[in-house]
Amino acid sequence: MKLIHAKQGDLTDEETLVKQCRAGNNMARKSLYLVYSKRLLAVCYRYCGNLDLAQDLLHDGFIKVFTTIGKFEWRGKGSLELWMKSVVAHVCYDYLLAQKAKNEVELKEDNDAVDEATLEDESMAAQLTERQLLDFVAELPEGYRMVFNLYVFEKKTHKEIAEILGINEHSSTSQLHRAKYILSKKINEFIKHEAKK
Amino acid sequence: MNLSNMKQKNDQISNLFSRLDHAEMPLKKDLWSEIEKDLPATHHYHVAYYKWISVAAASIIIIGVSALLYLNKPSNIVSVNRVAQNVSAPSKACTHLSYTSPSLNATSSPKHHDLMACESANNKSFKHINKVIKSTEDKDSIVHVTITFNQYEYGHIISRRGNDHNIMNQNASYGNNDSAAQNSAQNDKEETALNNNSSSDDNWALTASAGTNRDENIIYGVGIEKKIANKLSLVSGATYATSKNGDRQLIGIPLKLKYDLCNINKIQLYAEGGARVEQCVHNGDNTNVSLLASLGAQYNFNRDLALYVEPELKYNIDNRSTTDKLHSFSGGLSCGVRFIY
């Protein structure tokens, strides 16, 4: 069946998939799932830092995608993937924000001086695998991780991040820089450790 | 370190991690089935629109084909031929004859020999039914036109239309004006009674239908009904349905009891209840068992042909679907044509 073999970037089939999903066609839904699920799982993992929880959030994310796909507007190549990522990310940070007790500790405003984030060996860092990079993000403290994801991947401004997370803009900036510092430190240590082997 | 250098070094991280935009991770195998189970029912307003059109189109086709078959069935053709044969036969006593289709308005002398000729033309696959269609009183004589209808014999079906005993009774009245008039009136009464009681004598019916419900896009069905008591019939048959998503096809066997509620002129109301077993024959192998309850309204065009609509309530008691999550309750509507024998 044509729909099963739909590939990302194939405009006609992507549009067809959307139409069929709106009509409640389960084959089309499954096709959409097969094309994007692995990518969206990585998004969930980036946000929550736990693979089991990421699978659960992906489940909720797809339910949200299929129930709100009627609101999606086709805006050219890649728009469907962007929209799906946005929906799934929304599900993730909504969930994380709902864990209030945890987040109140993590999202406290931090006015300490921002440390410098520097990659000592950029060429070695470029050779790191996607999974290794994902693990580094997953290991970030939850508040930093959310700000980092929203800023780097969702392209949100600090103002928007502040509104989403209920913090002030300065705190968002500070947490982003701290996240980057932690990441650079982890990458540098990892590269050194690998070099010693 | 100045601000621009610091920003550049921070961007090292952003650039490095931007690779993750298309990162993928392996999934657990059964995640899709879990998602599928939790998918809510979708509202298909635009789909429903086309669905109703397709039901209407299917109904029109069924009615059209049925009407065509009914109008061209062999018994009618033979009947007309017989009428033509009878009325055109030479007779000494023939005074006046006219024929207007479809009803007959004629006067003629009794022609017993014509009737006998008809009978001798019969073979085992035909049976005679004798009816006095019209009798008019002339100055000098009462004349009858006797028309012999030939009808294919289907078990006891023929019995409600008349029998050899009737034929003999009617034939015996010819030549006697008074008794003929009485007999004619009696025959009229019998005919009326026959018409009124036709439904009680109709033992079998065949149905063809098209319908839809909340879970299934369109359902086509053929059925057979057998009267088992005065107002009670046993209904069975076969259905073919496509699922709401259009990716599954199901074959079903219903078994229902039909109870005749009332007759108002040509409209008959009835209630049905029973169960249907559906087996997915395309894109799945699940079996679904459902309970059915419906109210039906039937318009009788004549004793042989009726149209009906049936609003139906369906309860899925055993939903093993792996591809569709069916509702526990679903409403539906079907319409079709009923051939009564």
Side-chain angles (χ1 to χ4, degrees):
Chain A
M1 192 179 174
K2 199 177 178 184
L3 290 177
I4 295 172
H5 303 296
K7 296 274 171 67
Q8 185 234 346
D10 188 334
L11 295 177
T12 310
D13 282 348
E14 205 173 63
E15 278 190 287
T16 308
L17 276 178
V18 172
K19 284 178 185 172
Q20 293 290 317
C21 287
R22 280 177 182 158
N25 186 324
N26 259 15
M27 290 291 284
R29 285 169 168 174
K30 191 169 184 179
S31 298
L32 204 65
Y33 169 84
L34 291 173
V35 173
Y36 294 110
S37 55
K38 289 179 181 175
R39 214 166 279 184
L40 294 177
L41 180 62
V43 172
C44 295
Y45 184 61
R46 274 200 278 112
Y47 271 93
C48 71
N50 177 301
L51 196 51
D52 288 334
L53 180 57
Q55 307 255 17
D56 291 343
L57 290 173
L58 181 65
H59 168 280
D60 293 351
F62 265 107
I63 299 291
K64 189 83 180 276
V65 164
F66 292 134
T67 51
T68 58
I69 200 162
K71 296 176 184 173
F72 168 69
E73 285 180 30
W74 175 261
R75 288 175 183 173
K77 183 181 178 181
S79 61
L80 178 62
E81 184 181 356
L82 270 178
W83 176 77
M84 289 177 74
K85 280 183 175 174
S86 162
V87 171
V88 169
H90 207 293
V91 168
C92 290
Y93 60 71
D94 274 356
Y95 170 83
L96 295 170
L97 287 173
Q99 312 298 310
K100 282 185 178 178
K102 213 173 181 181
N103 290 340
E104 275 170 9
V105 178
E106 296 282 348
L107 295 175
K108 66 182 180 185
E109 295 191 11
D110 192 347
N111 294 317
D112 294 347
V114 178
D115 298 289
E116 188 181 341
T118 310
L119 290 175
E120 292 172 358
D121 191 340
E122 206 169 344
S123 61
M124 284 296 286
Q127 290 176 25
L128 293 170
T129 64
E130 288 179 345
R131 182 58 197 257
Q132 285 166 336
L133 293 176
L134 280 170
D135 287 341
F136 289 139
V137 177
E139 288 166 9
L140 284 172
E142 196 163 289
Y144 296 170
R145 194 167 62 233
M146 287 225 283
V147 173
F148 182 78
N149 274 309
L150 288 168
Y151 186 85
V152 175
F153 299 106
E154 304 298 320
K155 313 295 181 195
K156 303 281 187 191
T157 64
H158 285 297
K159 189 180 178 184
E160 289 169 327
I161 293 170
E163 284 173 5
I164 290 168
L165 300 180
I167 56 176
N168 65 43
E169 280 186 59
H170 176 72
S171 182
S172 172
T173 312
S174 167
Q175 291 195 48
L176 176 67
H177 288 171
R178 282 184 170 276
K180 285 182 175 178
Y181 169 74
I182 293 169
L183 286 172
S184 64
K185 193 177 170 185
K186 280 179 179 288
I187 290 169
N188 290 335
E189 284 173 2
F190 182 81
I191 290 170
K192 280 178 188 173
H193 184 261
E194 289 294 304
K196 282 179 186 175
K197 283 184 179 177
Chain B
M1 186 177 287
N2 60 32
L3 190 63
S4 63
N5 274 344
M6 195 170 154
K7 196 171 182 179
Q8 194 180 352
K9 287 191 174 176
N10 271 339
D11 286 342
Q12 284 181 326
I13 301 294
S14 296
N15 292 337
L16 179 66
F17 280 87
S18 63
R19 283 167 53 196
L20 296 183
D21 228 8
H22 299 294
E24 293 187 347
M25 291 188 76
L27 291 157
K28 62 178 180 181
K29 286 179 184 175
D30 54 347
L31 187 60
W32 170 248
S33 58
E34 289 173 15
I35 292 170
E36 197 179 26
K37 280 178 192 168
D38 293 336
L39 279 173
T42 314
H43 298 289
H44 313 280
Y45 298 111
H46 61 289
V47 173
Y49 177 74
Y50 292 111
K51 187 174 69 180
W52 285 110
I53 288 178
S54 63
V55 169
S59 304
I60 290 167
I61 291 168
I62 289 170
I63 293 163
V65 171
S66 306
L68 202 64
L69 289 172
Y70 177 75
L71 293 172
N72 290 289
K73 68 182 182 179
S75 58
N76 284 357
I77 296 167
V78 173
S79 298
V80 172
N81 289 340
R82 294 289 172 184
V83 169
Q85 183 181 330
N86 280 345
V87 297
S88 61
S91 172
K92 292 176 183 176
C94 184
T95 54
H96 172 73
L97 183 68
S98 66
Y99 175 67
T100 54
S101 181
S103 64
L104 189 68
N105 181 14
T107 57
S108 173
S109 62
K111 295 188 292 295
H112 189 66
H113 62 278
D114 286 338
L115 180 64
M116 296 308 289
C118 293
E119 284 183 332
S120 65
N122 286 333
N123 55 39
K124 286 180 182 177
S125 63
F126 289 90
K127 203 163 188 178
H128 279 295
I129 311 99
N130 204 19
K131 290 182 182 178
V132 175
I133 300 298
K134 188 83 176 176
S135 68
T136 59
E137 195 169 338
D138 212 336
K139 284 181 179 179
D140 301 323
S141 64
I142 295 170
V143 291
H144 293 265
V145 173
T146 301
I147 298 168
T148 301
F149 284 88
N150 286 327
Q151 178 75 36
Y152 284 111
E153 184 177 0
Y154 300 109
H156 299 290
I157 298 164
I158 206 77
S159 62
R160 71 183 175 84
R161 294 177 182 276
N163 51 39
D164 292 338
H165 178 69
N166 288 344
I167 293 170
M168 293 311 293
N169 281 346
Q170 288 170 11
N171 289 339
S173 70
Y174 295 141
N176 183 328
N177 292 353
D178 295 335
S179 62
Q182 288 168 7
N183 206 305
S184 174
Q186 187 183 347
N187 282 337
D188 285 345
K189 285 178 185 175
E190 285 174 359
E191 185 74 11
T192 307
L194 196 63
N195 285 334
N196 290 340
N197 295 327
S198 63
S199 61
S200 64
D201 296 330
D202 297 331
N203 287 321
W204 293 90
L206 295 176
T207 60
S209 66
T212 184
N213 67 33
R214 198 176 171 192
D215 291 317
E216 287 151 330
N217 231 358
I218 190 158
I219 310 165
Y220 296 105
V222 289
I224 186 163
E225 297 173 8
K226 170 78 175 91
K227 186 153 278 186
I228 54 175
N230 184 28
K231 291 186 171 184
L232 201 63
S233 302
L234 191 64
V235 181
S236 189
T239 60
Y240 167 80
T242 55
S243 67
K244 202 88 174 178
N245 299 335
D247 61 339
R248 292 192 307 130
Q249 294 168 12
L250 303 107
I251 299 289
I253 298 176
L255 187 63
K256 297 186 281 188
L257 282 173
K258 179 185 165 198
Y259 183 78
D260 295 332
L261 297 172
C262 61
N263 283 302
I264 307 164
N265 295 326
K266 289 188 170 184
I267 295 171
Q268 184 181 347
L269 300 179
Y270 58 89
E272 283 186 349
R276 182 164 68 210
V277 180
E278 283 179 305
Q279 173 68 41
C280 188
V281 292
H282 176 68
N283 240 348
D285 58 354
N286 53 295
T287 306
N288 181 44
V289 181
S290 53
L291 294 179
L292 306 166
S294 60
L295 280 173
Q298 173 178 311
Y299 180 82
N300 298 307
F301 283 102
N302 52 42
R303 289 179 301 182
D304 297 322
L305 184 68
L307 288 182
Y308 68 90
V309 288
E310 283 180 13
E312 181 182 84
L313 186 65
K314 179 183 172 190
Y315 174 68
N316 293 308
I317 56 175
D318 185 10
N319 177 17
R320 296 181 196 152
S321 172
T322 54
T323 51
D324 276 339
K325 188 171 177 65
L326 302 181
H327 299 87
S328 292
F329 280 98
S330 67
L333 182 73
S334 66
C335 52
V337 62
R338 181 171 276 119
F339 302 97
I340 304 150
Y341 295 99

